Amino acid sequence: MTGQAAKYVGRLKDKVVLIVGGTSGIGYAVAEAALEHNAIVIVAGSNSVKLENAVTRLKSSYPSQSSGSRLSGITIDLADIENLETNVQSVLQFAANGAKINHVVITAADMMPPPPSLAEITVHSLERTSRIRYTAPLIFAKHLPKFMDQVSENSVTLTSGAHGHKPDPGWSAMIGYLGAVETMMKGLAVDLKPLRVNVVSPGAVITEVVREMLDEHYDMAIEMAKEKSLVGSAGTPESVAQAYLYLMKDQFVTGTVLETNGGLLAWQLQGLAIRWAYP
């Protein structure tokens, strides 16, 4: 029985998992899940204080799984376009640590307040979003073959969002990048084959950042999320993290968008829309 159980539960044991955007929200939950599966985890984020806090929390929660060099962190600013290629290579080299990376998960996003209206967007704001959500994952993919074997046992998982398929009013400035990530993923799945490339598309997920952004509107937003959901609730990072685990573990899935949104795309709701930042 032990051997049979390890065939499934042990699929990520001792695999090197790099999580870009792993200091909070969905990325942090993926880091927790990977540690629970006895993977070697590297989290990357733009804020050094948040990174240090995240690593400390993970070590406290998973002392045995994170012992020695099984958990580490590194900073990277995905919006720094001039140094992006150098920084990406540094992160990949750090994660590989003289060996090879097995899985890369990118959940990083420009977690700003709800997107500006069409009349309020600026070239600068669009460029920053583009760098983080589209350009950075593409540059990671460019350099991955130096640090990751292109085999079906390995994977890259990107992140889009349900707004790309069912936009609420005011999301014109953002949804193009969500769709672009999904389209780019299909090209990368071809160019990097047999390395697997997929996308997770979350719906409304309550993270620490979203809580802060909603502030006094939090309770109202939660009720609206419940009304839009076929499962009667908003998403949690812990639930959505399961989608990333599946895409890492299923060696026969590539070129796929995995939806995790509580049935949002199957549900029609009249009335006001929730305007918060998706992961």
Side-chain angles (χ1 to χ4, degrees), residues 1 4 19 21 30 53 55 58 76 93 100 110 116-117 138 141 150 155 167 185 198 207 228 241 244 250 254 276:
M1 292 296 293
Q4 291 180 349
I19 305 165
V30 175
N53 289 340
V55 171
L58 288 167
I76 181 172
Q93 185 173 26
K100 291 293 182 72
D110 190 12
S117 68
L138 188 59
Q150 289 177 240
S155 72
M185 171 273 295
N198 297 285
T207 65
K228 279 191 165 187
Y244 294 85
D250 185 346
T254 191
W276 60 24

Side-chain angles (χ1 to χ4, degrees), residues 8-78:
Y8 298 98
V9 178
R11 184 60 67 92
L12 296 180
K13 186 177 186 298
D14 296 331
K15 302 300 182 182
V16 177
V17 179
L18 168 63
I19 305 165
V20 182
T23 60
S24 64
I26 294 173
Y28 183 85
V30 175
E32 290 182 310
L35 285 172
E36 287 191 4
H37 282 68
N38 293 301
I40 298 168
V41 176
I42 302 93
V43 293
S46 60
N47 186 304
S48 60
V49 174
K50 288 182 63 176
L51 179 67
E52 183 177 354
N53 289 340
V55 171
T56 298
R57 288 167 56 200
L58 288 167
K59 286 184 175 180
S60 176
S61 299
Y62 303 95
S64 60
Q65 295 95 327
S66 64
S67 61
S69 59
R70 299 188 66 84
L71 172 66
S72 55
I74 184 172
T75 58
I76 181 172
D77 182 3
L78 300 182

Side-chain angles (χ1 to χ4, degrees), residues 137-155:
L138 188 59
I139 297 303
F140 266 98
K142 171 186 175 181
H143 294 289
L144 272 179
K146 306 172 194 171
F147 304 95
M148 173 185 283
D149 292 331
Q150 289 177 240
V151 295
S152 62
E153 291 81 3
N154 297 340
S155 72

Side-chain angles (χ1 to χ4, degrees), residues 204 206 210-211 213-228 233-234 269 272-276:
I206 302 301
V210 169
R211 287 177 185 271
M213 287 168 46
L214 291 173
D215 198 15
E216 71 270 17
H217 304 295
Y218 174 77
D219 291 337
M220 179 182 69
I222 293 299
E223 289 306 310
M224 294 178 71
K226 289 180 179 179
E227 291 178 8
K228 279 191 165 187
S233 66
L269 176 69
L272 296 175
I274 303 172
R275 297 185 68 235
W276 60 24

Side-chain angles (χ1 to χ4, degrees), residues 116-192:
S117 68
L118 184 61
E120 297 173 325
I121 63 174
T122 65
V123 172
H124 177 72
S125 65
L126 292 177
E127 286 180 343
R128 177 177 172 81
T129 301
S130 174
R131 294 171 189 173
I132 295 173
R133 289 185 176 265
Y134 183 83
T135 305
L138 188 59
I139 297 303
F140 266 98
K142 171 186 175 181
H143 294 289
L144 272 179
K146 306 172 194 171
F147 304 95
M148 173 185 283
D149 292 331
Q150 289 177 240
V151 295
S152 62
E153 291 81 3
N154 297 340
S155 72
V156 178
T157 307
L158 309 179
T159 306
S160 62
H163 270 137
H165 298 274
K166 191 173 183 180
D168 281 331
W171 276 81
S172 295
M174 186 68 68
I175 60 172
Y177 297 119
L178 302 180
V181 167
E182 296 183 4
T183 303
M184 175 179 66
M185 171 273 295
K186 295 178 182 180
L188 293 177
V190 173
D191 288 342
L192 296 175

Side-chain angles (χ1 to χ4, degrees), residues 238-255:
E238 293 77 11
S239 293
V240 175
Q242 299 289 344
Y244 294 85
L245 282 179
Y246 163 69
L247 291 176
M248 283 189 275
K249 293 166 72 174
D250 185 346
Q251 297 175 9
F252 199 56
V253 59
T254 191

